[in-house]
């Protein structure tokens, strides 16, 4: 564990709490919710609530696992203990790929937001933002924590402001171009389920994407000063954040303007402030959602570099990835991850209209795999380590029943993605990644066995 100790534990509780908030508020809410609202109408609120509850149970399972053994620094460690080295290899690389896809989506979103002010190709601001974030991430872990702290604070203040303004407009019965601000906007335009159960289910892909990254707190566990105190504290606050930042913000948006007035290609947050008639405020909100995308991309770069670092440590990736620079940052892993994320800028250039939808679908599918692995590991842990579960001070509630229930929900979401025309191609392509990893693992194992026989 010498290399693991090389990572500086420079994240304080203040950083961890805000990184946890940053993980639950991002591009999926600020940009992706526009598309989700178009599919589901006001019932989108129930979709966010349902998936949010499922994610909370995943996080409780992860929290119990992380605190059950002092040496855990990543999801790969957990998967290796309970599902074996093959599953650890596939999960480790898939988790890296998850964050690569998510960071790509955030880079694409940066380009979309900048177009609000400047008529330039989407890929240019995407590349510029990547280079700036790479520079910051090469410095220190503490700087990453500070960046996320301020990025998250901007998001929190923005949503607080939106909810505050929405309540005032509701009380005074403010008139927008779309009509009065009223609670009845939630059901007056075709009811709560205007597109039926089908539309409600189709929205789940983007809703799942909105929550990706919430488990980043698990990856950052290796760099916290006091995991036993900080991890439970951050996880237990997730339900309140879901209710407030997702459900609360979306209810206010849908009361200010009917869901029919929002479209899938722009941020409903920016659109709402334009409707209110405050153009300057709309520009400010666009800046906020731009910083949100940069924040999420920053988290992605941090996460992917740490995952590659751990894979290098565990000899599941080239050893160069486990080397640290003088600032105790895994620079080689960071450079490689950033280079792959820059594929998002290339997609912005080649297919600007479809790029965001493609990468968010792939990201959502891969994260469902990772969350599923957490739940299966927790089931195995409870069955094979009853003494650890009995001694746990942070037991996941209602297991194993809730684990099976959440796994069933994830299965249903994958079936919906298979049925939907827009998400089907990405879903059918994703197994290629997993098959490739299983084949690569087998080849690596044979190579190592051959080398061992020669050395013997």
């Amino acid at each position: 564990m010498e290399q693991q100790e090389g990572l500086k534990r420079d994240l304080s509780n203040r950083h961890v709490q805000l990184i946890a908030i940053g993980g639950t508020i991002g591009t999926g809410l600020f940009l992706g919710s526009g598309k989700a609202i178009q599919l589901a109408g006001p019932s989108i609120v129930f979709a966010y609530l349902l998936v949010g509850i499922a994610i909370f149970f995943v996080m409780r399972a992860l929290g119990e696992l992380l605190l059950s053994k002092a040496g855990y620094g990543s999801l790969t460690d957990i998967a290796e203990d309970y599902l074996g080295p093959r599953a650890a290899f596939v999960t480790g690389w898939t988790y890296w790929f998850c964050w690569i896809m998510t960071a790509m989506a955030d880079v694409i979103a940066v380009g979309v937001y900048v177009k609000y002010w400047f008529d330039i190709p989407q890929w240019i601001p995407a590349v510029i933002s990547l280079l700036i974030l790479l520079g910051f991430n090469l410095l220190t872990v503490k700087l990453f924590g500070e960046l996320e702290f301020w990025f998250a604070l901007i998001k929190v203040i923005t949503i607080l402001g939106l909810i505050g303004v929405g309540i005032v407009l509701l009380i005074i019965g403010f008139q927008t171009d779309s009509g009065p601000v009223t609670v009845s906007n939630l059901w007056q335009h075709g009811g709560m389920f205007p597109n039926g159960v089908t539309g409600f289910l189709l929205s789940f892909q983007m809703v799942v994407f909105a929550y990706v990254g919430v488990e980043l707190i698990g990856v950052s566990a290796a760099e916290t000063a006091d995991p036993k105190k900080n991890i439970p504290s951050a996880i237990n606050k997730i339900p309140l954040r879901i209710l407030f930042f997702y459900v609360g913000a979306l209810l206010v948006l849908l009361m200010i303007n009917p869901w029919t007035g929002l479209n899938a290609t722009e941020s409903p947050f920016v659109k709402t402030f334009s409707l209110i008639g405050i153009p300057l405020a709309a520009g400010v909100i666009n800046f906020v959602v731009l910083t949100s995308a940069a924040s999420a991309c920053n988290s992605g770069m941090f996460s992917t570099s740490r995952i590659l670092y751990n894979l290098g440590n565990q000899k599941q990736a080239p050893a160069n990835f486990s080397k640290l620079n003088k600032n105790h940052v895994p620079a080689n892993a960071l450079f490689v991850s950033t280079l792959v994320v820059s594929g998002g800028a290339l997609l912005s250039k080649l297919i600007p209209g479809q790029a965001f939808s493609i990468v968010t679908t792939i990201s959502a599918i891969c994260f469902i795999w990772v969350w599923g692995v957490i739940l299966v590991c927790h089931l195995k842990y409870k069955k094979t380590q009853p003494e650890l579960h009995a001694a746990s001070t942070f037991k996941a509630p209602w297991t194993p029943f809730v684990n099976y229930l959440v796994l069933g929900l994830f299965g249903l979401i994958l079936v919906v993605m298979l049925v939907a025309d827009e998400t089907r191609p990405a879903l059918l392509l994703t197994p290629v990644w997993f098959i490739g990893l299983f084949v690569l693992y087998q080849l690596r194992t044979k190579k190592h066995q051959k080398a061992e026989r020669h050395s013997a």
Side-chain angles (χ1 to χ4, degrees):
M1 295 298 292
E2 278 179 23
Q3 287 281 16
Q4 186 64 31
E5 287 164 14
L7 288 174
K8 276 205 167 178
R9 292 171 178 267
D10 272 349
L11 297 182
S12 66
N13 186 45
R14 171 174 68 97
H15 293 134
V16 173
Q17 293 293 345
L18 267 292
I19 288 168
I21 292 178
T24 49
I25 313 168
T27 309
L29 176 64
F30 285 128
L31 181 61
S33 58
K35 179 188 171 187
I37 288 167
Q38 277 304 297
L39 289 166
S43 67
I44 192 63
V45 173
F46 301 125
Y48 274 96
L49 192 57
L50 184 60
V51 175
I53 292 167
I55 297 303
F56 172 64
F57 286 120
V58 171
M59 286 302 295
R60 282 300 302 260
L62 177 61
E64 184 177 353
L65 286 167
L66 281 168
L67 294 173
S68 69
K69 185 176 173 181
Y72 286 150
S74 70
L75 299 175
T76 318
D77 298 336
I78 296 169
E80 180 144 18
D81 265 7
Y82 292 102
L83 301 176
R86 182 189 282 106
F89 179 82
V90 173
T91 301
W93 278 104
T94 300
Y95 192 54
W96 174 78
F97 187 60
C98 284
W99 269 105
I100 289 290
M101 288 292 114
T102 305
M104 276 190 188
D106 297 320
V107 158
I108 292 163
V110 166
V112 172
Y113 295 142
V114 170
K115 279 182 78 71
Y116 179 84
W117 295 300
F118 308 107
D119 190 19
I120 57 173
Q122 276 180 217
W123 66 270
I124 295 173
V127 170
I128 293 168
S129 66
L130 261 182
L131 292 173
I132 293 169
L133 291 174
L134 174 63
F136 280 129
N137 272 274
L138 280 170
L139 298 173
T140 64
V141 172
K142 196 164 189 176
L143 183 60
F144 163 77
E146 282 301 318
L147 271 176
E148 280 306 290
F149 177 83
W150 292 106
F151 276 148
L153 205 58
I154 291 169
K155 297 181 202 179
V156 171
I157 291 167
T158 302
I159 294 180
L160 277 170
L162 171 77
I163 291 173
V165 167
I167 290 167
V168 170
L169 297 180
L170 190 64
I171 291 168
I172 64 174
F174 187 83
Q175 289 279 337
T176 71
D177 294 342
S178 300
V181 175
T182 169
V183 177
S184 60
N185 274 336
L186 293 171
W187 57 80
Q188 272 188 342
H189 304 272
M192 289 292 286
F193 289 81
N195 296 327
V197 175
T198 304
F200 174 67
L201 291 173
L202 288 175
S203 72
F204 273 62
Q205 175 264 320
M206 193 54 74
V207 173
V208 167
F209 176 72
Y211 285 111
V212 303
V214 69
E215 76 303 307
L216 178 59
I217 193 168
V219 177
S220 59
E223 299 182 55
T224 57
D226 187 3
K228 286 189 177 180
K229 179 185 171 190
N230 296 340
I231 292 173
S233 175
I235 290 174
N236 282 335
K237 287 174 182 165
I238 288 171
L240 281 176
R241 288 175 187 147
I242 288 166
L243 280 171
F244 190 80
F245 294 117
Y246 282 91
V247 179
L250 288 169
L251 280 171
V252 168
L253 281 176
L254 293 166
M255 286 189 284
I256 292 173
N257 34 228
W259 72 274
T260 49
L262 301 170
N263 71 63
T265 56
E266 64 180 335
S267 169
F269 287 79
V270 177
K271 171 78 172 176
T272 297
F273 278 88
S274 301
L275 265 178
I276 294 167
I278 320 172
L280 179 63
V284 170
I285 298 302
N286 194 68
F287 172 75
V288 168
V289 295
L290 174 61
T291 63
S292 170
S295 158
C297 188
N298 188 40
S299 290
M301 289 167 74
F302 173 86
S303 188
T304 49
S305 64
R306 268 54 181 184
I307 296 162
L308 273 190
Y309 168 80
N310 278 314
L311 287 169
N313 253 347
Q314 293 153 357
K315 297 182 173 53
Q316 294 181 343
N320 278 341
F321 291 148
S322 62
K323 289 181 180 174
L324 302 172
N325 67 9
K326 62 182 180 182
N327 297 320
H328 298 268
V329 170
N332 293 339
L334 187 59
F335 279 124
V336 169
S337 292
T338 305
L339 189 65
V340 181
V341 170
S342 66
L346 181 64
L347 285 174
S348 278
K349 182 174 172 59
L350 299 176
I351 43 169
Q354 297 84 43
F356 187 73
S357 178
I358 289 168
V359 296
T360 54
T361 302
I362 295 171
S363 173
I365 294 163
C366 290
F367 267 101
I368 285 173
W369 164 277
V370 170
W371 294 334
V373 165
I374 291 168
L375 292 169
V376 172
C377 283
H378 187 262
L379 286 167
K380 200 97 181 276
Y381 150 84
K382 191 175 179 186
K383 187 177 180 181
T384 60
Q385 307 277 3
E387 69 290 346
L388 284 180
H389 177 66
S392 175
T393 55
F394 193 56
K395 289 185 179 72
W398 306 322
T399 57
F401 169 74
V402 80
N403 296 51
Y404 292 120
L405 200 63
V406 175
L407 286 168
L409 175 65
F410 290 159
L412 173 64
I413 293 169
L414 290 174
V415 169
V416 170
M417 285 187 190
L418 183 63
V419 172
D421 292 336
E422 193 175 356
T423 51
R424 189 187 303 117
L427 181 70
L428 293 175
L429 270 175
T430 309
V432 175
W433 167 261
F434 291 102
I435 292 164
L437 284 179
F438 279 112
V439 170
L440 184 60
Y441 179 81
Q442 288 302 117
L443 292 173
R444 278 172 49 82
T445 305
K446 283 181 181 176
K447 187 181 175 183
H448 286 155
Q449 286 170 347
K450 194 175 178 182
E452 282 170 10
R453 280 198 299 271
H454 278 298
S455 62

